[in-house]
Amino acid sequence: MTISYSKLAVAAGLATGAVFSSFATGNAFAFGFEFQGTYSENNAPTGDILLESVTIGDTIIEDFSFVTSATIVSNDEFSGGNSGAASADTGDDATGGVRQEDAEAEDIVANLATNNLNHIVDTEDSGSFQIDLNFGKSLDNLLIWERGMNSDLGIQAVDAMGNLIGNRLVVTDDMWYDAGFAIDTSEINGAQNVGSIGINIFADLGVESGAVETIRFFSESSFNGPDWKFVGTDSARDVPEPALLMSLGLFGGALVLQKRLKAA
């Protein structure tokens, strides 16, 4: 029998994630989220996992920003087998989305323009890519999930002229928080745990002023093939930026305090 239910992952990954002290300028953060999944004993990680809300500090966000267009700056060529880099992938039993090894920009957009966490971009282990993803609106946060918790993923902001700005940020494999669920997609033979992390456009990507609507995601051959999904949050929503940053700071402080208490 298949059962549909909602699950709340409060402060996902508190038990396992790093404190992100390596982010010298930032407030990279864990976040809680609620999703609706269709589960059975055998296909729990393979079906639809629909994101409903995210909690950052004491702020609940239900209206997400999704990718509207993409420019593939570079992507290793697919020639069969495990060649190539970024491709489009979905859960074995997920509805919608795209599965395409030799992915084009529209395939990447198709999987990143939904709230289904089982629509992802899969990267081959030694693959390299650079993809600019545009939202058509100004962002203040990126909320990222990575299947496997065993890969690095690069991020940098892009200005309206197409120039890279701010910090070149690499989320390394030891920085992922445990997101509290697993997925099994068509390109793997079993479920893998998913990690998550929140990135603030201003504090973590070093953007000092102006609207950021485009983000470059990238992988290098040493990154071990990140398999990822993300959504953005709209900087124009009804949450004053200073208040949100204060929430992130308080939330980060709580994480540090908890870890110190556990270590004592």
Side-chain angles (χ1 to χ4, degrees):
M1 182 177 68
T2 299
I3 302 172
S4 181
Y5 71 96
S6 291
K7 176 179 178 181
L8 179 64
V10 179
L14 289 180
T16 59
V19 182
F20 305 113
S21 58
S22 60
F23 286 96
T25 63
N27 292 295
F29 54 95
F31 56 90
F33 56 98
E34 186 176 52
F35 60 85
Q36 181 77 19
T38 303
Y39 286 81
S40 69
E41 182 180 355
N42 296 321
N43 77 348
T46 66
D48 294 331
I49 302 175
L50 305 179
L51 182 67
E52 294 186 336
S53 66
V54 164
T55 302
I56 303 175
D58 59 359
T59 301
I60 298 175
I61 301 170
E62 297 179 336
D63 185 17
F64 306 110
S65 299
F66 297 104
V67 169
T68 58
S69 64
T71 300
I72 297 178
V73 179
S74 64
N75 192 23
D76 289 353
E77 182 178 359
F78 175 73
S79 57
N82 292 325
S83 64
S87 62
D89 195 17
T90 70
D92 292 344
D93 300 313
T95 59
V98 173
R99 297 176 186 172
Q100 182 60 254
E101 286 280 6
D102 189 14
E104 298 186 359
E106 55 266 31
D107 302 317
I108 300 297
V109 172
N111 278 9
L112 297 178
T114 76
N115 68 329
N116 195 331
L117 300 181
N118 226 347
H119 295 167
I120 68 169
V121 176
D122 178 280
T123 310
E124 299 301 332
D125 288 348
S126 60
S128 299
F129 68 81
Q130 298 181 66
I131 304 174
D132 290 351
L133 298 161
N134 181 266
F135 291 78
K137 61 176 65 175
S138 180
L139 303 174
D140 58 1
N141 294 296
L142 296 171
L143 308 173
I144 308 169
W145 291 263
E146 200 277 323
R147 187 196 68 199
M149 302 175 63
N150 59 356
S151 303
D152 303 347
L153 179 63
I155 314 163
Q156 190 164 2
V158 179
D159 68 14
M161 302 299 293
N163 302 308
L164 293 170
I165 57 174
N167 301 328
R168 180 184 184 274
L169 177 65
V170 176
V171 179
T172 57
D173 60 2
D174 60 338
M175 294 179 178
W176 299 108
Y177 283 102
D178 187 345
F181 71 99
I183 59 175
D184 183 359
T185 66
S186 67
E187 292 202 21
I188 57 176
N189 295 320
Q192 294 181 346
N193 290 332
V194 174
S196 62
I197 191 172
I199 301 298
N200 183 264
I201 299 297
F202 306 101
D204 296 316
L205 295 189
V207 176
E208 297 181 358
S209 62
V212 173
E213 298 184 1
T214 302
I215 303 294
R216 175 168 297 182
F217 279 73
F218 62 90
S219 179
E220 299 175 358
S221 59
S222 61
F223 283 13
N224 194 38
D227 306 313
W228 48 281
K229 171 79 175 191
F230 76 100
V231 300
T233 62
D234 185 352
S235 64
R237 69 187 186 281
D238 295 330
V239 178
E241 180 186 317
L244 179 59
L245 290 176
M246 182 177 294
S247 294
L248 297 180
L250 291 173
F251 193 46
L255 294 179
V256 174
L257 177 59
Q258 179 175 9
K259 292 180 182 297
R260 287 177 177 170
L261 289 173
K262 286 183 177 180

